[in-house]
């Protein structure tokens, strides 16, 4: 069976890999001159700008696709950078978003005059919320009522008030 995937962005590439691994003949139609969708960059005046996501947050999903495609994940090497990104503000403020939590909190306090303990509490609360319900939005079809009626989802949602 032949299948046409419209769009060569991340989702189109992921579905094409899965379909081809399942034995289908797959053709991807992409309007751009490149694949990857928003995963691209451009340069201007000697600077490089990401045109889409700047962070690689779920490497295990890429590793899973590589394994499905029978590609050794070690052929896609990556490592965590000390600095996730940089922010530049109109008033000249320059902020480095360090991967190290303590460095990042210190940077926020020094450059933006924000109490680092308050930010740490906020980050902890956000992490707790993500751990509690993030999987619902990342792994479940949220448009289906069955998702919301599942025991695990109801249990998680009933705990939201704790945070």
């Amino acid at each position: 069976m032949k299948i046409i995937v419209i769009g060569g962005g991340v989702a189109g590439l992921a579905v094409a890999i899965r379909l081809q691994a399942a034995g289908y003949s797959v053709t991807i139609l992409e309007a751009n001159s490149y694949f990857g969708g928003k995963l691209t960059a451009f340069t201007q005046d000697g600077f490089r700008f990401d045109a889409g996501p700047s962070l690689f947050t779920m490497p295990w999903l890429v590793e899973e696709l590589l394994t499905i495609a029978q590609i050794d994940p070690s052929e896609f090497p990556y490592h965590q950078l000390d600095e996730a990104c940089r922010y530049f503000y109109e008033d000249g403020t320059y902020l480095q978003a360090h991967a190290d939590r303590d460095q990042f909190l210190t940077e926020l306090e020094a450059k933006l005059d924000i109490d680092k303990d308050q930010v740490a509490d906020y980050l902890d609360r956000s992490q707790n919320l993500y751990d509690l319900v993030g999987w619902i939005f990342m792994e479940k079809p949220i448009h289906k009522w069955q998702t919301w009626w599942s025991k695990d989802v109801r249990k998680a949602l009933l705990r939201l008030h704790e945070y």
Side-chain angles (χ1 to χ4, degrees), residues 58 61 126 128-144 147-148 150 152-154 156-157 160:
M58 294 189 264
L61 295 178
S126 296
N128 289 334
L129 285 168
Y130 180 81
D131 291 343
L132 182 64
V133 297
W135 60 274
I136 297 169
F137 300 97
M138 302 299 263
E139 301 172 16
K140 300 290 182 185
I142 61 174
H143 65 284
K144 294 187 177 183
T147 294
W148 303 106
S150 76
D152 291 337
V153 170
R154 287 193 324 246
L157 293 176
L160 278 175

Side-chain angles (χ1 to χ4, degrees), residues 5-161:
V5 174
I6 299 174
V10 174
L13 293 171
V15 75
I17 289 168
R18 291 177 184 280
L19 289 167
Q20 188 166 15
Y24 297 98
S25 173
V26 179
T27 300
I28 302 173
L29 301 179
E30 172 56 54
N32 291 314
S33 61
Y34 57 89
F35 288 93
K38 293 178 183 175
L39 287 178
T40 190
F42 65 92
T43 57
Q44 183 177 329
D45 300 327
F47 293 96
R48 180 187 173 277
F49 297 92
D50 292 326
S54 300
L55 303 173
F56 183 35
T57 57
M58 294 189 264
W60 61 91
L61 295 178
V62 173
E63 291 167 3
E64 178 183 297
L65 282 172
L66 291 170
T67 301
I68 289 169
Q70 298 180 345
I71 298 170
D72 181 354
S74 69
E75 291 184 36
F76 183 74
Y78 59 89
H79 64 277
Q80 181 174 338
L81 300 175
D82 294 332
E83 181 182 323
C85 61
R86 298 175 189 172
Y87 298 96
F88 300 89
Y89 297 89
E90 288 183 27
D91 68 357
T93 301
Y94 164 77
L95 180 72
Q96 289 179 272
H98 298 278
D100 179 83
R101 178 186 167 112
D102 291 332
Q103 281 185 297
F104 182 56
L105 293 172
T106 300
E107 178 86 359
L108 286 171
E109 189 169 59
K111 299 279 181 79
L112 301 181
D113 195 29
I114 299 173
D115 179 57
K116 67 180 180 179
D117 292 331
Q118 282 185 302
V119 176
D121 289 343
Y122 175 80
L123 292 175
D124 290 340
R125 182 173 179 265
S126 296
Q127 181 67 55
N128 289 334
L129 285 168
Y130 180 81
D131 291 343
L132 182 64
V133 297
W135 60 274
I136 297 169
F137 300 97
M138 302 299 263
E139 301 172 16
K140 300 290 182 185
I142 61 174
H143 65 284
K144 294 187 177 183
W145 67 268
Q146 294 93 333
T147 294
W148 303 106
W149 283 105
S150 76
K151 180 182 175 185
D152 291 337
V153 170
R154 287 193 324 246
K155 185 177 173 183
L157 293 176
L158 289 171
R159 291 190 51 217
L160 278 175
H161 72 278

